[in-house]
């Protein structure tokens, strides 16, 4: 005979209790499903990561320090005015400037190639499609960057860009700026510029060009004030020469009107 049903089993305290053996039975019963889901998810993630583009990183370093002030000497006492504490922070911000990266893109001619960063713009659907795609990546037989003959393209040639190249230069600059990192090495004047992207050929050239253009622009800023002073002095000299010439002409006219002789003999002028 079956055991009689006892009302005690309907008690809430008894229903809320579960033994470890009951939990083990639940897991054991669904173990094939759990293992299947775990294997599928793990395989999918591994395959997805395998099909992702390889990320490359390049780093360059340079010394950034202000122009040393002149040492003022008075008898045996030397006075050094020191450095501007805001100088390094200013230089770091200039290195992170978006216009600097755009200048790098144009100087290297990257804006002429629409496939330089093709892998950077893949969305979620294209990434899923790649999981089941049998298409193999085509390895370039030659250099992947455009070859620039003659003088390198200057960042000042923006007016020569077409609308498509202008838009591409801005987009490439944004992509590169997203993978750029500028940091200061502690207790030094050394600045480290790092770049990560999917293009192995572009990475080292970009970080080197960032440093090169930055040094060029920094030199231009250094001489800008001196150039303005030089131009002002030049204009002042020209104006002074013109004034002297006008006054000489007026003096000669006055001598002529006064019927005074003009000549180089003594007592003539």
């Amino acid at each position: 005979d079956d055991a009689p049903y006892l009302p005690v089993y309907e008690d809430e305290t008894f229903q809320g209790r579960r033994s470890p053996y009951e939990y083990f039975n639940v897991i054991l019963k669904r173990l094939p499903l759990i293992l299947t889901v775990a294997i599928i998810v793990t395989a999918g993630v591994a395959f997805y990561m395998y099909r992702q583009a390889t990320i490359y990183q390049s780093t360059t370093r340079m010394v950034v320090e202000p122009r040393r002030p002149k040492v003022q000497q008075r008898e045996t006492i030397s006075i050094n005015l020191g450095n501007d504490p805001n100088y390094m922070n200013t230089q770091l911000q200039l290195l992170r400037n978006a216009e600097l990266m755009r200048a790098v893109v144009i100087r290297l001619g990257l804006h002429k190639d629409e496939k330089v960063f093709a892998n950077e713009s893949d969305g979620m659907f294209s990434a899923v499609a790649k999981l089941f795609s049998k298409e193999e990546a085509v390895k370039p037989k030659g250099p992947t960057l455009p070859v620039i003959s003659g003088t390198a393209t200057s960042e000042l040639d923006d007016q020569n860009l077409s609308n498509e190249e202008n838009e591409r230069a801005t987009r490439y600059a944004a992509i590169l700026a997203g993978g750029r990192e500028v940091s200061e090495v502690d207790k030094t004047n050394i600045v480290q510029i790092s770049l990560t992207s999917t293009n192995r050929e572009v990475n080292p050239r970009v970080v080197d060009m960032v440093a090169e253009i930055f040094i060029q622009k920094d030199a231009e800023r250094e001489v800008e004030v001196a150039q303005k002073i030089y131009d002002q002095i030049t204009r002042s000299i020209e104006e002074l020469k013109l004034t002297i010439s006008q006054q000489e002409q007026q003096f000669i006219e006055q001598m002529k009107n006064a019927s005074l002789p003009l000549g180089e003999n003594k007592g003539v002028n």
Side-chain angles (χ1 to χ4, degrees):
D1 297 337
D2 296 335
Y5 176 77
L6 298 178
V8 69
Y9 291 105
E10 296 181 358
D11 186 67
E12 293 181 359
T13 59
F14 184 83
Q15 291 180 358
R17 297 176 182 176
R18 295 291 185 271
S19 66
Y21 181 75
E22 290 177 321
Y23 286 111
F24 178 76
N25 285 337
V26 172
I27 295 176
L28 184 63
K29 183 178 180 180
R30 294 170 174 80
L31 185 60
L33 178 61
I34 295 174
L35 291 179
T36 301
V37 172
I39 292 174
I40 292 176
V41 171
T42 303
V45 171
F47 192 60
Y48 173 79
M49 296 303 297
Y50 174 76
R51 295 301 300 269
Q52 290 300 297
T54 305
I55 303 298
Y56 301 95
Q57 183 178 40
S58 301
T59 302
T60 188
R61 290 185 173 187
M62 64 179 178
V63 178
V64 176
E65 57 183 0
R67 185 182 299 276
R68 296 184 180 275
K70 295 181 179 180
V71 177
Q72 301 180 359
Q73 295 184 351
R74 183 177 179 182
E75 296 179 354
T76 59
I77 301 177
S78 298
I79 303 175
N80 192 335
L81 301 179
N83 297 330
D84 184 0
N86 296 324
Y87 180 83
M88 180 59 73
N89 292 332
T90 302
Q91 301 306 306
L92 293 177
Q93 292 301 320
L94 291 174
L95 279 168
R96 299 187 182 106
N97 188 7
E99 291 300 322
L100 176 62
M101 189 60 73
R102 176 182 168 84
V104 170
V105 171
I106 298 177
R107 178 72 65 87
L108 292 175
L110 301 180
H111 61 289
K112 299 179 180 179
D113 189 349
E114 60 183 8
K115 297 181 180 180
V116 173
F117 295 109
N119 295 331
E120 297 283 352
S121 59
D122 290 341
M124 181 182 66
F125 295 102
S126 61
V128 173
K130 284 184 178 180
L131 296 178
F132 306 97
S133 175
K134 297 182 180 180
E135 181 181 358
E136 297 291 337
V138 179
K139 297 183 179 180
K141 298 181 180 180
T144 58
L145 292 179
V147 178
I148 306 174
S149 59
T151 306
T153 305
S154 173
E155 66 273 15
L156 301 178
D157 293 337
D158 285 12
Q159 63 273 16
N160 297 329
L161 301 182
S162 64
N163 293 335
E164 182 180 359
E165 290 178 340
N166 187 50
E167 185 276 333
R168 192 179 300 136
T170 302
R171 178 161 50 89
Y172 285 177
I175 292 174
L176 292 172
R180 174 194 56 196
E181 182 178 354
V182 179
S183 59
E184 178 185 2
V185 179
D186 292 340
K187 299 180 181 180
T188 66
N189 289 329
I190 298 176
V191 174
Q192 178 172 292
I193 306 171
S194 300
L195 179 68
T196 56
S197 75
T198 59
N199 195 311
R200 180 178 59 184
E201 302 294 334
V202 165
N203 254 30
R205 297 187 63 183
V206 168
V207 292
D208 289 342
M209 187 57 67
V210 167
E212 180 178 335
I213 295 181
F214 173 79
I215 293 173
Q216 174 187 343
K217 289 183 174 293
D218 186 67
E220 293 174 356
R221 285 188 294 269
E222 287 286 340
V223 302
E224 183 177 1
V225 176
Q227 184 65 39
K228 289 182 179 179
I229 295 176
Y230 173 80
D231 294 340
Q232 184 178 359
I233 293 175
T234 302
R235 288 193 299 269
S236 299
I237 293 175
E238 294 298 329
E239 292 175 357
L240 181 59
K241 288 181 178 180
L242 179 60
T243 301
I244 293 174
S245 177
Q246 291 175 350
Q247 290 180 352
E248 287 181 347
Q249 292 296 328
Q250 292 176 0
F251 178 72
I252 293 173
E253 290 296 331
Q254 290 176 357
M255 293 185 66
K256 288 182 178 180
N257 294 336
S259 299
L260 296 177
L262 298 177
E264 296 181 355
N265 296 330
K266 292 182 179 181
V268 175
N269 293 335

